[in-house]
Amino acid sequence: MPADPLSWETVDRETAYTCPGFDIVNETVRLPDGTETDFDYLSEPASVCILPFTPDGDVVCIEEWRQAVGRVNRGLPVGGTEPDDDDLEAAARRELAEETGHEAESLEELVTVEPSNGISDSVMHFFVARGCRPTAEQRLDYNESIRVVQTSLEELLSSIESGDLRDGRTVLGVSYYQLFATEAEKSGQ
């Protein structure tokens, strides 16, 4: 099958910079018109984002310092997958426990997206977690400053609508859930 006429050919690839969590990759590419140019992008492992509901239907959120934007950010628990993760659900359960100290009775897949595929190879897998209860202490990474809070789904939606909640992963996960989850799924909170 011939390549799509829009596709680029990778001529050369090297890692320009590496640090814990991601790499910056530099590629020499050939464009459809034959022009060769450089293209840089961020490369990172797949990650999981969890929309965790308590048995009472509240959402377990985190408030975390975000150095890049210089403020505390409210959002959903998110974390990268590890090489020894058996599956994405195991990664979601681990990240939920590490960041919030909560465990879920059940998890279900919500959606998988490429949140910034113009500048990154990131893939994010969203899950809905139900029956979340605190069972242990947080196990934060050395560079995480996280406070756990609970709020209603309605409050999250209101914060998204007003622009007060700006975390893209949270906006996407909550909005997708609100738009596409069935009423039966929503009542199962």
Side-chain angles (χ1 to χ4, degrees), residues 9 18 23 34 47 51 60 69 75 81 89 101 105-107 129 131 140 148 150 161:
E9 176 188 353
T18 190
D23 296 332
S47 55
L51 175 57
V60 180
V69 293
T81 58
E89 183 176 318
E105 289 177 8
S106 66
L107 256 82
L140 301 176
V148 179
Q150 291 185 17
E161 183 179 12

Side-chain angles (χ1 to χ4, degrees), residues 1-183:
M1 184 167 139
D4 189 299
L6 296 177
S7 64
W8 297 1
E9 176 188 353
T10 302
V11 177
D12 191 27
R13 174 184 293 130
E14 67 179 36
T15 300
Y17 175 79
T18 190
C19 67
F22 66 89
D23 296 332
I24 301 297
V25 176
N26 172 261
E27 292 185 340
T28 302
V29 296
R30 185 171 295 117
L31 304 178
D33 69 1
T35 304
E36 282 193 14
T37 188
D38 288 334
F39 181 77
D40 296 326
Y41 63 92
L42 183 139
S43 181
E44 65 180 346
S47 55
V48 292
C49 180
I50 305 97
L51 175 57
F53 288 100
T54 67
D56 295 332
D58 284 337
V59 179
V60 180
C61 291
I62 61 172
E63 293 177 344
E64 182 173 11
W65 177 258
R66 292 298 189 185
Q67 183 64 26
V69 293
R71 64 179 154 73
V72 172
N73 186 73
R74 184 171 46 153
L76 299 176
V78 176
T81 58
E82 303 290 339
D84 61 345
D85 284 332
D86 293 334
D87 58 37
L88 293 171
E89 183 176 318
R93 288 183 180 281
R94 182 193 67 245
E95 289 300 326
L96 177 64
E98 286 179 1
E99 292 193 358
T100 70
H102 286 67
E103 288 186 25
E105 289 177 8
S106 66
L107 256 82
E108 52 202 64
E109 294 177 22
L110 183 61
V111 67
T112 296
V113 300
E114 297 170 346
S116 54
N117 62 15
I119 60 169
S120 171
D121 66 1
S122 302
V123 176
M124 182 161 292
H125 304 276
F126 289 81
F127 288 84
V128 176
R130 300 198 188 280
C132 295
R133 290 179 163 66
T135 58
E137 295 295 315
Q138 292 172 291
R139 295 182 313 273
L140 301 176
D141 292 337
Y142 75 95
N143 61 350
E144 291 178 317
S145 301
I146 294 176
R147 176 175 44 238
V148 179
V149 296
Q150 291 185 17
T151 190
S152 68
L153 181 61
E154 293 74 24
E155 170 59 29
L156 279 178
L157 289 165
S158 177
S159 294
I160 290 169
E161 183 179 12
S162 69
D164 291 336
L165 196 154
R166 297 176 64 175
D167 178 75
R169 301 163 303 189
T170 301
V171 170
L172 179 62
V174 170
S175 298
Y176 189 93
Y177 177 81
Q178 184 66 15
L179 284 170
F180 297 110
T182 66
E183 290 307 313

